[in-house]
Amino acid sequence: MKAGQAGLDHARKLDQEHGLLHLRDNFHIPTKAELSRKTAKAPDRQQNGNGNDEPSIYLCGNSLGLQPHLTKKYFQQYLDTWATKGVYGHFTDMEDTDLVPWLHVDDDCKPEMAKIVGALPDEVAIMQTLTANLHLMMASFYRPTKERFKIIIERKAFPSDHYAVESHIAHHNLDPATSMILIAPPKSGSLLLTTAHILSTIDKHATDTALLLLPGIQFYTGQYFDMKRITAHAQSKGIIVGWDLAHAVGNVPMQLHDWNVDFAAWCTYKYLNCGPGSIGGCFVHERHGEVTENPPSQEGEEPTFEYRPRLSGWWGSSKTSRFAMTNRFHPIPGAGGFQLSNTSVADSTAVKASLDVFKQTSIEALREKSLKLTKYLEESLDALAQEMRDSVGRECFSQITPREAEQRGAQISVLLDEGLLDHVMEALEKEGVVLDERKPDVIRVAPAPLYNTFEDVFRFIEAFRVALRGAEGDGKKRGENLGSVMVDGGREAKGWSEIK
Ligand SMILES: Cc1ncc(COP(=O)(O)O)c(C=O)c1O
């Protein structure tokens, strides 16, 4: 990787070559000054000519995606409707807004959301939140019997998934110690789970497992699992397969319908940019969402409905019956029939804004750019690791995310040498780099192709170099023998902000 001005010029050239640059204009990129200020209100940026209004290097879309400009516009429309129409907002078609009447906000989001996850529109529902949706899905899909009662998950599953699974097992009066199978990496040292290892764990517990629940992309390592193969293999053994897509949705293309996935759930605040804690999404394969209507056997009786058992609420009942206030649940066919409460219009307004940005491209085009961005990040990290090795004489960090492009999404997780994390995070923050840490030693760096650039990656690397050298310098002060760390080829380390 080229450093200094030549490197910056090269990164900018890559931005021009690899397209989609215009999509960044859809987003509010916090400036460095905004990040350090104690006030939330964004000032008029044009007047802020003090040189401190450079955009931050925001590489944290794996945690919280940035705000599209459309969000504010659509929120204002929603607030205006609420203010001027009150309850009529549920039904009234407005001429001067982009939004549909509130009664249909969930349906309005389905087609675009379905494209992002590779589903039929009716297989998708905008509802609840991720953990709540996992619970709802398991209530329907985890139906343990004497013969099949185990749930397989990873040993290092996101804690919420672990708790959810454990509580379902306990809810059925089973013992998690014997009913919960935790897949751990086979070799000590590696945090990755190979497909072969996952399949062999499935085989080992094939006869008594009811459910397999895995993440599409692992939150810590960034590993993207072979969802198609794992799903097919587990299902061939009679196991139901569900996926937690928190880190996969909006990040990698998927084909949930064609892969025959039983169910999936996701949040919308990461790569989907819908805001913190925003409404989640659910996928239920069409074969599980069928509703059969049996005509009444006698005149005067009502028809009956057959459908997959679930925990039900009025918003899952057909729109025609919803306001009839009867006690007869008539589920909407598809994932919509799993909804409980009336949809948060504020949340789904943010979803609409996000999807209207996604509509300007395709998940396939985003992936194409993402592969290049992340490869560039990887190569730059490798070059920096070598540079640090040369100057310090040891490894300062290593990559734990798989090196194979098809086994990862946008994110690369970097394992820092022991004791560096706090200093590195502090130094990065000072330079206006936003990314997240996972204690004790990992930083996660995720260039999101919708708004991140090669230049962002370049600037991150420059700041990371300074941070590492500072951290190593601190170590030196502590009396450790770290060799010459502040000088590279006789040149003092420069902060990235010195390079424009
Ligand atoms: C993989 C994974 N699963 C579950 C969750 C929990 O999500 P929520 O708080 O929306 O239920 C998260 C949150 O970041 C996550 O990353």
Side-chain angles (χ1 to χ4, degrees):
M1 181 216 170
K2 293 177 193 148
Q5 191 64 48
L8 181 57
D9 292 343
H10 177 63
R12 285 177 175 164
K13 193 161 153 266
L14 292 174
D15 277 323
Q16 295 305 326
E17 281 169 15
H18 294 307
L20 304 190
L21 200 53
H22 61 285
L23 293 172
R24 180 176 167 90
D25 296 339
N26 284 291
F27 291 89
H28 189 107
I29 315 277
T31 65
K32 290 170 71 180
E34 283 167 352
L35 286 179
S36 58
R37 209 176 283 133
K38 285 269 184 282
T39 51
K41 201 165 157 39
D44 181 350
R45 291 170 179 217
Q46 309 313 320
Q47 290 172 14
N48 185 1
N50 60 8
N52 217 10
D53 56 354
E54 297 166 60
S56 62
I57 297 112
Y58 193 90
L59 296 165
C60 209
N62 59 310
S63 180
L64 181 72
L66 288 177
Q67 186 188 120
H69 293 305
L70 280 178
T71 311
K72 198 170 188 174
K73 177 179 169 193
Y74 290 177
F75 259 74
Q76 193 55 57
Q77 293 178 351
Y78 150 63
L79 291 173
D80 288 345
T81 303
W82 183 18
T84 62
K85 302 286 179 231
V87 73
Y88 293 163
H90 283 296
F91 315 102
T92 313
D93 267 317
M94 235 72 59
E95 288 171 1
D96 58 351
T97 90
D98 297 274
L99 311 177
V100 297
W102 301 337
L103 206 51
H104 307 299
V105 287
D106 42 2
D107 284 347
D108 188 43
C109 293
K110 280 163 45 171
E112 273 312 307
M113 189 65 94
K115 275 191 211 160
I116 291 174
V117 296
L120 306 174
D122 284 345
E123 290 175 320
V124 163
I126 312 300
M127 58 190 259
Q128 309 292 330
T129 52
L130 173 49
T131 307
N133 284 335
L134 287 174
H135 275 299
L136 290 174
M137 291 294 103
M138 281 194 279
S140 181
F141 286 91
Y142 177 53
R143 311 187 63 75
T145 62
K146 239 171 122 195
E147 293 74 34
R148 282 189 185 270
F149 53 89
K150 290 180 179 168
I151 302 182
I152 302 177
I153 62 167
E154 346 140 64
R155 190 188 61 183
K156 289 281 184 191
F158 193 86
S160 208
D161 297 33
H162 188 103
Y163 306 152
V165 165
E166 199 171 37
S167 61
H168 269 269
I169 288 172
H171 181 70
H172 286 280
N173 294 322
L174 295 166
D175 181 2
T178 48
S179 298
M180 197 167 167
I181 305 302
L182 308 180
I183 315 178
K187 280 192 303 201
S188 61
S190 172
L191 295 166
L192 304 177
L193 297 173
T194 63
T195 305
H197 181 58
I198 294 172
L199 300 190
S200 77
T201 309
I202 292 168
D203 289 346
K204 208 162 136 198
H205 301 277
T207 54
D208 51 9
T209 295
L211 173 68
L212 171 72
L213 179 67
L214 287 176
I217 290 183
Q218 219 281 345
F219 76 98
Y220 188 78
T221 63
Q223 182 178 5
Y224 178 20
F225 293 113
D226 188 342
M227 294 176 59
K228 180 179 176 186
R229 199 159 153 221
I230 295 167
T231 301
H233 188 83
Q235 287 177 341
S236 75
K237 311 282 173 187
I239 298 169
I240 293 271
V241 182
W243 293 94
D244 173 343
L245 302 179
H247 291 261
V249 68
N251 181 4
V252 288
M254 292 173 283
Q255 294 300 330
L256 298 185
H257 176 83
D258 289 349
W259 296 345
N260 205 38
V261 163
D262 291 293
F263 71 86
W266 56 91
C267 54
T268 58
Y269 43 79
K270 298 178 187 290
Y271 296 96
L272 290 185
N273 312 308
C274 298
S278 196
I279 197 164
C282 247
F283 166 89
V284 176
H285 198 279
E286 73 173 339
R287 69 187 184 285
H288 296 304
E290 283 170 6
V291 178
T292 310
E293 181 168 343
N294 299 315
S297 49
Q298 290 183 41
E299 206 177 318
E301 282 185 358
E302 302 274 11
T304 57
F305 304 105
E306 284 175 48
Y307 51 89
R308 185 176 184 86
R310 66 199 66 184
L311 296 182
S312 307
W314 76 314
W315 222 250
S317 200
S318 74
K319 282 186 178 173
T320 48
S321 67
R322 224 182 241 170
F323 290 94
M325 296 297 144
T326 73
N327 285 340
R328 236 161 37 98
F329 180 61
H330 172 192
I332 299 167
F338 288 76
Q339 294 175 98
L340 296 184
S341 302
N342 70 100
T343 314
S344 159
V345 178
D347 279 15
S348 49
T349 298
V351 176
K352 159 107 176 134
S354 156
L355 295 175
D356 280 0
V357 175
F358 271 87
K359 249 188 210 167
Q360 298 172 30
T361 178
S362 66
I363 189 72
E364 290 75 21
L366 285 171
R367 173 67 167 162
E368 209 183 310
K369 178 174 174 192
S370 176
L371 287 169
K372 290 172 187 154
L373 259 182
T374 298
K375 179 92 191 133
Y376 175 68
L377 171 61
E378 181 176 56
E379 287 169 358
S380 305
L381 284 168
D382 285 347
L384 181 59
Q386 183 61 48
E387 193 185 310
M388 292 304 294
R389 215 175 287 130
D390 291 345
S391 66
V392 181
R394 66 189 173 81
E395 299 294 331
C396 292
F397 64 89
S398 58
Q399 176 175 324
I400 57 178
T401 303
R403 296 237 156 217
E404 297 77 10
E406 68 283 1
Q407 285 188 49
R408 66 184 184 211
Q411 170 188 330
I412 288 187
S413 302
V414 173
L415 178 68
L416 298 175
D417 199 11
E418 213 181 319
L420 295 182
L421 182 73
D422 287 347
H423 183 107
V424 164
M425 285 303 287
E426 199 183 308
L428 288 175
E429 191 181 329
K430 241 184 236 162
E431 292 286 7
V433 176
V434 185
L435 41 78
D436 78 356
E437 62 180 17
R438 281 290 172 267
K439 298 259 187 208
D441 297 314
V442 166
I443 57 171
R444 302 187 299 178
V445 191
L450 265 178
Y451 49 78
N452 282 126
T453 58
F454 289 85
E455 181 172 336
D456 283 337
V457 173
F458 172 81
R459 289 188 182 278
F460 157 67
I461 293 288
E462 295 291 286
F464 191 31
R465 175 188 291 114
V466 173
L468 285 170
R469 289 183 174 181
E472 294 291 10
D474 275 3
K476 200 175 170 193
K477 273 184 229 139
R478 288 196 306 266
E480 294 164 24
N481 179 18
L482 297 170
S484 166
V485 292
M486 293 303 289
V487 181
D488 173 22
R491 180 173 63 83
E492 283 272 317
K494 266 188 171 185
W496 66 261
S497 51
E498 291 173 60
I499 302 164
K500 304 280 183 222

